[in-house]
Amino acid sequence: MGRYLHDAPASLEATLGASPNECRAAMLSELEFVDTARVLKMLAREMGHDEGVVVDRLARHGLDAALDLLSGTEGPAVSEAYLRHRACWLGGRPARVKAH
């Protein structure tokens, strides 16, 4: 995958006429979306929500809307839980589930 990811900016530049920096920014945005979706899926699973609905809300309306969907039952603690899960995901550790 590394080779293809490395070659992607050049092929996108040729195809779309975009600069290498624009292509790199687009790829980084896509990778950020994937990471955010993974974290939201873990959080939705932990909270008993449908993962697909949460990720769909993320794709259509953004992170705030997805967190609002999750916060319907949990309130403001969802943002805290999201940040905790994200930090654990980026650090390569499993998130600790808080006892209720």
Side-chain angles (χ1 to χ4, degrees), residues 40-99:
L40 283 173
K41 284 176 70 173
M42 288 189 309
L43 188 57
R45 193 176 313 123
E46 178 183 306
M47 297 173 70
H49 286 276
D50 182 2
E51 300 167 13
V53 172
V54 174
V55 172
D56 184 59
R57 181 72 60 97
L58 171 66
R60 294 177 187 272
H61 303 288
L63 179 58
D64 288 338
L67 290 175
D68 284 345
L69 178 66
L70 292 173
S71 69
T73 57
E74 297 292 325
V78 171
S79 294
E80 230 177 76
Y82 170 78
L83 293 174
R84 186 180 74 249
H85 274 75
R86 180 153 175 83
C88 290
W89 172 258
L90 294 176
R93 298 182 313 269
R96 285 191 164 169
V97 177
K98 277 189 168 179

Side-chain angles (χ1 to χ4, degrees), residues 34 36 66:
V34 169
T36 301

